[in-house]
Amino acid sequence: MSSSSQSVNGPARGTLFAMALAAGLAVASIYYNQPMLGVMSADFHDARVGGWIPTLTQFGYAAGLLFLLPLGDMLERRKLIVVQFGVLALALVVMALAPGLALLAIASVLVGAAATVAQQIVPFAAILSAPEKRGAAIGTVMSGLLTGILLSRTLAGLVSSMAGWRAMFWLAGPLAVLGAGLMGRRLPAHRPAKTLRYGDLLGSLVHLWRNEPVLRRAAFTQALLFASFSAFWTTLALRLAEPPLHLGAASAGLFGIVGAVGVAMAPVAGRVADRRGPAPVIASGAAATIVAWLVFGMSPGIVGLVVGVIVLDFGVQISLVSNQHVIYGLHPEYKSRLNTLFMTTMFVGGALGSLAASTAWGHGGWPAVCLLGGVLPVGALLFNLTRRRAPDTRPHHSQET
């Protein structure tokens, strides 16, 4: 089936669900290690595991965003997605078999890089959808992706506590194979309209960033919101361990299930963006994120944390879907490269948010983290209001592939 025939009516509901599931399975791979680091360090009798493995996995993911994600605009997309899932499955098996830190470190980088297949799937959903249905399609796939992020730690904690950390990676390998099978079966073949050399592909990233103010605004807005999101999840376990809660680290994983409630609203937000435009939804997401931090600060008990995390994940997710709706409307042939720049900026924002939150915790505890987390979405809201007041005057590209 050609992509053009699909984009008339958009991908079938079953195809969108398969894409959401596959995206969630892929991105979960980079978070499985986090609740198991203590067990892994003890098994290898090497404290470096706790620092090296999550850092190298994130480094691999960042490298994959920059160097692998643009390949979607160069190669046949379905085959690229299936191959990346295959590499991910092999890397996860190597993690399970690794006899020492050296091989574990190499496999961690490969897992991170290959897991960016999730970000190959998202622009493909936009390509297969008609412009008036793009937001709903992106929302569905992104709900699966964020659910994978939120539930990965919960699953890894449960599996490792019952069967050991290697069992989690033995389970993750076949799950990646399942993702490959789903995408190979459900996706249509799609070849880019133009054939580009890899060097030209990477060089065009600079041109896109320099000449697309809409892309820059969307990326910076989401980077601020994702920094706020990361600030919460970075310090949650520390907050739960404090009085009066005195809860263990396992409780932090259960909050992933709570946060998934907010993710369920993402497809609805996408449909609203299709009907009324993405700007109001982005502003609403930033406002919801501010409200979440007000709840965290004013209601420090477990109820405040539960309500706040639902509102936080809802706000960040609906803004993400709507900002992607914006950038995927810019150029029909550049969707993977647009996603490269957008996601890399967002990822850097998240990393800086985690670093800032750790620093804030060290200097002022939870109140300082709440102040930081609340200020960041205020900046995102101002970016969005600036966009609405100063409409873009460059030529718009309305044709979709």
Side-chain angles (χ1 to χ4, degrees), residues 79-100:
K79 184 175 181 180
L80 174 63
I81 288 170
V82 171
V83 169
Q84 257 194 265
F85 262 118
V87 174
L88 177 59
L90 288 174
L92 289 165
V93 169
V94 173
M95 291 283 288
L97 291 170

Side-chain angles (χ1 to χ4, degrees), residues 27-82:
V27 78
S29 300
I30 67 175
Y31 296 102
Y32 289 139
N33 63 63
Q34 291 186 356
M36 305 190 298
L37 294 172
V39 179
M40 294 169 69
S41 297
D43 190 33
F44 284 104
H45 304 288
D46 194 333
R48 293 176 296 174
V49 170
W52 281 28
I53 300 310
T55 300
L56 289 172
T57 304
Q58 297 292 342
F59 173 79
Y61 192 75
L65 286 175
L66 187 58
F67 296 110
L68 296 181
L69 199 52
L71 291 174
D73 291 334
M74 176 181 173
L75 304 175
E76 199 278 303
R77 289 180 186 269
R78 180 178 62 185
K79 184 175 181 180
L80 174 63
I81 288 170
V82 171

Side-chain angles (χ1 to χ4, degrees), residues 121-354:
I121 296 171
V122 178
F124 203 177
I127 287 172
L128 296 177
S129 302
E132 65 274 11
K133 296 182 179 180
R134 184 191 302 129
I138 295 171
T140 298
V141 176
M142 288 303 300
S143 65
L145 188 147
L146 192 56
T147 299
I149 294 175
L150 293 172
L151 298 186
S152 57
R153 300 175 182 91
T154 306
L155 176 62
L158 291 173
V159 172
S160 62
S161 65
M162 292 187 294
W165 68 269
R166 293 183 188 272
M168 183 62 245
F169 289 115
W170 280 120
L171 174 61
L175 289 177
V177 173
L178 172 63
L182 282 173
M183 295 297 89
R185 180 181 178 87
R186 301 297 309 221
L187 295 181
H190 178 275
R191 295 186 179 278
K194 298 179 181 179
T195 302
L196 295 173
R197 292 182 298 180
Y198 184 63
D200 294 335
L201 198 70
L202 293 182
S204 67
L205 294 174
V206 178
H207 172 81
L208 270 176
W209 183 258
R210 182 184 301 150
N211 293 284
E212 291 293 347
V214 172
L215 169 63
R216 293 196 302 270
R217 282 195 295 268
F220 284 136
T221 298
Q222 199 60 41
L224 287 168
L225 292 175
F226 196 61
S228 180
F229 176 87
S230 299
F232 173 80
W233 289 102
T234 299
T235 55
L236 174 61
L238 298 173
R239 174 67 189 123
L240 291 173
E242 278 195 326
L245 301 177
H246 297 293
L247 296 174
S251 301
L254 296 178
F255 269 81
I257 300 174
V258 176
V261 175
V263 177
M265 293 299 295
V268 177
R271 288 192 287 271
V272 173
D274 287 333
R275 292 195 301 268
R276 300 185 180 180
V281 183
I282 296 169
S284 298
T289 307
I290 296 170
V291 170
W293 283 103
L294 289 173
V295 173
F296 291 144
M298 298 173 66
S299 181
I302 194 70
V303 174
L305 287 173
V306 169
V307 173
V309 75
I310 293 173
V311 177
L312 175 69
D313 287 3
F314 167 74
V316 173
Q317 176 71 349
I318 65 172
S319 295
L320 175 56
V321 170
S322 300
N323 273 314
Q324 287 179 304
H325 187 289
V326 169
I327 67 166
Y328 290 147
L330 296 177
H331 290 276
E333 71 276 22
Y334 289 179
K335 282 188 169 61
S336 287
R337 280 166 284 177
L338 290 166
N339 202 34
T340 293
L341 293 167
F342 177 80
M343 293 304 302
T344 300
T345 305
M346 186 183 107
F347 181 84
V348 170
L352 293 176
S354 294

